[in-house]
Amino acid sequence: MDRPGRRIAWAAESPEDPFGVVAAAAAATAGSGWKGSDGAPSSRSSSSTEEEGAKGAPPVREAGDEDEQPLLRGIFGVGKRSCDVVLSARRLSWSPIQPERPAGGSSVGLTNEEESVEMKDVFSVKLKRRRFAGQQKGGLLLGITVFVCLKKEGNKLKDSVINLSNLSEDHCYLWFKHLKEILNGFPNRPKSLKVFVNPNSHRKEAARIYHEQVAPLFKLADIRADVTVTEYEGHALKLLKECDLTSFHGVVCVGGDGTAHEVAHGLLLRAQMDARRDVDDIIAPVRAQVPLGIIPAGSTNILAYTVNGIQHTVTATLHIIMGHVQSVDVCTFSSPTTLLRFGFSSMFGFGSRALALAEKHRWMPSSQRKDFAVLKTLASLKPEYCELSFLPLEQDAQGEDKKQQKRLKSDSRDHWRRIQGHFLNVSIMAIPCLCSMAPRGLAPNTRLNDGSMALIVVRNTSRPEFVKHLKRYASMKNQFNFPFVEAFIVEEVKVQSRTRKERIARENLNSIDPEEKNYPWNIDGELMEWPSEVCVRVHPQLINLYGKSVDAVDNPKGSCSCL
């Protein structure tokens, strides 16, 4: 039996105002029955201004109550059930419509199975239509599809859909309009992106990864993407110096750590140029203009893993679509007279030697190439002589790892400390550098945006002891708990290494490979041949990266098979 109340007939859309008639019809049915005169479900409001006026002044609302106030209420099919659906600025909720209970009947088994999704987790909404083969436009309207970003285990994100079925065009258009207005109100969600794809990354799969996994999600979220496939090393850097970034909400790179490093460096250089800063004398550089998104598609993806907590293409893409932005510290690497590079992490010694060897064998599969390079470098393990001057950052020790760090205490910020000698490896990192082989990070004593750098020094020791130190990275044990390893929290480091000419003069000439190139630095997975003296400074929160703050993985699954 029909519920008592007024009935209305739905009017056709007006070309000038397609939603005006619908809104008026919805207002007319406030507090009335569920169905219109054509039998289609109609929209109804949960409250009306007329009711508030009859009761006097509106009730006092707590802060945030406005987001919970129902904007629309109506009937949709969800799955195979008819549901009462309620939309507020904060969430979309639905519950099955229960049949009316006969007079005196039992209420056992009649439960209100309400489900909901937060609107902040919705990234797109589309009208769902049935179309014939080859039909591009039009078609029978079936309802609305809501696309949701779900968080899974291990920092993974996944896209999912909720289908709201209803054959009424007016009803669906009204809901579609309100849903779109809510989504457009979220800050940081990009609508236009500049995308750089490195076709040579890893197994030359970056272009396929972008077109098959990333581009469809961007299109679904109504994001316009200006795509450039880079043709040579430094191509993205050159374009970033020239192109106008004001029309883009963000920049995205598809590739490995080398690609991400080049694009980040280009964004920061462009920011200094636009601010008319002298790029060779930067004490306080300006922030990058737009956020950077990193789609992992390289042989190493430490930067993407660190900001997302996982190496997963869909997760990285959804973070960009959802506008999840976090500020990240950046280092400047300078010679006494010139800015050399912006970067996030660096290694000197074993880390750079292994990378240089791996780059010579790019014809090998990625995992085999890494294992081969590590084993080969271990077989010819030798220290580098250098002098390190650093300015310690004053902090209170907190937590077990903090207590293990050899922090230096000083009454003056100008009190520099110096160590020198033969070192197997020196790491200077402004980010934790998470990866599958180091779930706690290569530098677990720093964070993405705490304004500090980790200086990790491995002095000369035996090969077995050094291997024990490397194995600790793949476990949950403290990799600094060795007498030959020292870790400091610093804000500036100066490195003076022995030049090749000095090495030849002081060491046995036969022990030096005459064809060996002098690659003293591994900067974010890129080999850099620089002067013997380099100054590294940390600059807090200098760039925004798409991603969300994550913690280190608790149960490591990856390890280096060669060790």
Side-chain angles (χ1 to χ4, degrees):
M1 180 171 60
D2 290 338
R3 296 176 182 267
R6 296 172 293 173
R7 296 176 178 272
I8 60 128
W10 291 97
E13 295 181 13
S14 167
E16 293 80 9
D17 184 11
F19 301 110
V21 176
V22 178
T29 59
S32 67
W34 289 98
K35 295 184 179 180
S37 60
D38 59 355
S42 65
S43 176
R44 64 167 184 161
S45 171
S46 62
S47 62
S48 68
T49 55
E50 292 179 355
E51 293 174 343
E52 289 182 357
K55 297 177 182 178
V60 178
R61 294 176 179 175
E62 297 291 338
D65 279 356
E66 293 81 0
D67 291 342
E68 296 289 355
Q69 294 301 311
L71 302 174
L72 291 174
R73 188 170 189 176
I75 297 178
F76 286 92
V78 182
K80 297 181 180 180
R81 300 181 296 182
S82 293
C83 293
D84 177 18
V85 183
V86 179
L87 174 67
S88 69
R90 180 171 296 180
R91 63 170 55 90
L92 176 70
S93 59
W94 61 96
S95 57
I97 298 175
Q98 302 293 349
E100 290 189 358
R101 210 163 22 99
S106 172
S107 61
V108 176
L110 297 180
T111 58
N112 185 20
E113 304 173 6
E114 182 177 277
E115 298 180 66
S116 66
V117 61
E118 297 289 320
M119 287 303 298
K120 64 181 179 61
D121 296 328
V122 175
F123 67 90
S124 183
V125 57
K126 300 290 183 182
L127 292 172
K128 183 179 181 181
R129 295 183 181 275
R130 177 183 294 156
R131 292 180 177 140
F132 297 105
Q135 185 178 1
Q136 299 296 325
K137 296 182 179 181
L140 177 63
L141 182 62
L142 301 178
I144 301 172
T145 300
V146 179
F147 296 87
V148 184
C149 175
L150 299 178
K151 185 173 181 179
K152 312 297 285 186
E153 293 182 359
N155 298 310
K156 182 180 291 187
L157 299 182
K158 179 183 178 182
D159 58 303
S160 182
V161 298
I162 300 171
N163 288 310
L164 305 177
S165 302
N166 192 297
L167 299 181
S168 170
E169 295 238 1
D170 291 338
H171 188 58
C172 290
Y173 274 119
L174 177 62
W175 278 73
F176 178 76
K177 175 193 174 189
H178 278 78
L179 286 165
K180 290 289 289 184
E181 287 177 349
I182 294 173
L183 294 186
N184 291 335
F186 288 111
N188 299 328
R189 294 195 178 185
K191 293 300 179 184
S192 178
L193 294 171
K194 177 63 184 175
V195 181
F196 293 98
V197 179
N198 183 357
N200 296 318
S201 289
H202 196 24
R203 299 176 183 175
K204 300 185 177 181
E205 294 182 342
R208 180 189 62 80
I209 288 174
Y210 175 76
H211 290 294
E212 292 182 4
Q213 300 184 48
V214 181
L217 286 173
F218 281 172
K219 182 178 180 181
L220 193 62
D222 298 322
I223 295 176
R224 299 182 301 275
D226 181 8
V227 183
T228 296
V229 179
T230 57
E231 300 175 0
Y232 52 86
E233 184 179 352
H235 189 190
L237 176 60
K238 178 182 177 182
L239 292 178
L240 283 170
K241 291 181 179 180
E242 300 171 351
C243 72
D244 182 12
L245 295 177
T246 57
S247 60
F248 300 107
H249 298 138
V251 173
V252 174
C253 63
V254 187
D257 284 330
T259 306
H261 169 77
E262 179 181 332
V263 175
H265 176 63
L267 277 175
L268 287 165
L269 269 186
R270 177 59 185 270
Q272 314 316 310
M273 294 166 57
D274 291 344
R276 301 185 182 279
R277 296 291 183 90
D278 182 0
V279 295
D280 289 334
D281 185 23
I282 298 181
I283 302 300
V286 298
R287 288 170 57 90
Q289 300 172 351
V290 294
L292 170 62
I294 305 169
I295 305 295
S299 55
T300 59
N301 302 282
I302 290 178
L303 189 54
Y305 199 115
T306 302
V307 296
N308 297 322
I310 190 173
Q311 182 177 316
H312 188 241
T313 302
V314 173
T315 296
T317 306
L318 288 174
H319 277 307
I320 296 171
I321 292 172
M322 301 298 290
H324 295 158
V325 176
Q326 57 181 326
S327 298
V328 178
D329 299 340
V330 179
C331 300
T332 51
F333 299 83
S334 307
S335 72
T337 59
T338 307
L339 172 70
L340 300 171
R341 185 69 64 167
F342 288 97
F344 301 93
S345 64
S346 60
M347 284 188 283
F348 175 90
F350 178 83
S352 58
R353 287 178 178 275
L355 177 62
L357 188 59
E359 288 297 306
K360 292 180 180 180
H361 296 81
R362 292 196 67 88
W363 53 271
M364 299 175 64
S366 175
S367 59
Q368 295 181 19
R369 181 170 71 245
K370 293 176 187 177
D371 291 353
F372 169 79
V374 170
L375 287 173
K376 187 76 173 177
T377 307
L378 282 173
S380 57
L381 187 64
K382 53 185 175 181
E384 293 278 357
Y385 180 86
C386 66
E387 179 181 303
L388 303 174
S389 301
F390 55 91
L391 185 62
L393 182 68
E394 297 303 330
Q395 263 178 276
D396 293 330
Q398 296 177 356
E400 183 177 351
D401 286 335
K402 303 282 186 181
K403 294 177 182 178
Q404 292 290 341
Q405 297 166 12
K406 297 178 179 291
R407 295 190 173 180
L408 302 178
K409 302 299 180 180
S410 171
D411 295 330
S412 173
R413 283 175 49 86
D414 296 328
H415 185 69
W416 285 76
R417 297 300 301 263
R418 185 181 71 174
I419 57 176
Q420 61 182 347
H422 288 84
F423 303 105
L424 292 177
N425 193 69
V426 175
S427 299
I428 306 171
M429 299 178 173
I431 61 175
C433 294
L434 304 178
C435 64
S436 60
M437 292 184 293
R440 297 177 66 246
L442 298 176
N445 49 352
T446 189
R447 293 294 179 265
L448 285 172
N449 53 10
D450 63 356
S452 70
M453 294 186 299
L455 171 62
I456 303 167
V457 178
V458 182
R459 293 185 178 272
N460 191 21
T461 187
S462 65
R463 186 180 292 108
E465 288 297 306
F466 184 64
V467 170
K468 289 180 182 179
H469 163 66
L470 294 181
K471 284 185 174 182
R472 286 282 183 92
Y473 282 99
S475 69
M476 302 306 294
K477 296 181 180 180
N478 187 353
Q479 60 263 46
F480 305 143
N481 192 21
F482 291 94
F484 54 87
V485 179
E486 297 176 85
F488 308 93
I489 297 296
V490 301
E491 53 184 310
E492 188 171 346
V493 181
K494 293 179 181 179
V495 182
Q496 288 183 313
S497 61
R498 183 181 298 174
T499 64
R500 177 174 171 79
K501 184 177 180 179
E502 291 173 326
R503 289 173 57 200
I504 294 176
R506 298 188 184 189
E507 300 179 13
N508 184 0
L509 182 62
N510 296 328
S511 66
I512 299 178
D513 184 357
E515 297 183 357
E516 178 187 359
K517 292 185 178 181
N518 185 24
Y519 281 126
W521 291 93
N522 170 354
I523 310 294
D524 296 331
E526 287 288 289
L527 293 171
M528 300 293 171
E529 184 176 6
W530 284 346
S532 59
E533 182 177 348
V534 176
C535 179
V536 187
R537 296 185 183 94
V538 63
H539 302 277
Q541 305 181 20
L542 196 59
I543 193 171
N544 284 337
L545 298 184
Y546 285 110
K548 211 161 188 179
S549 298
V550 296
D551 295 323
V553 178
D554 292 331
N555 298 310
K557 297 181 180 179
S559 61
C560 184
S561 59
C562 63
L563 298 177

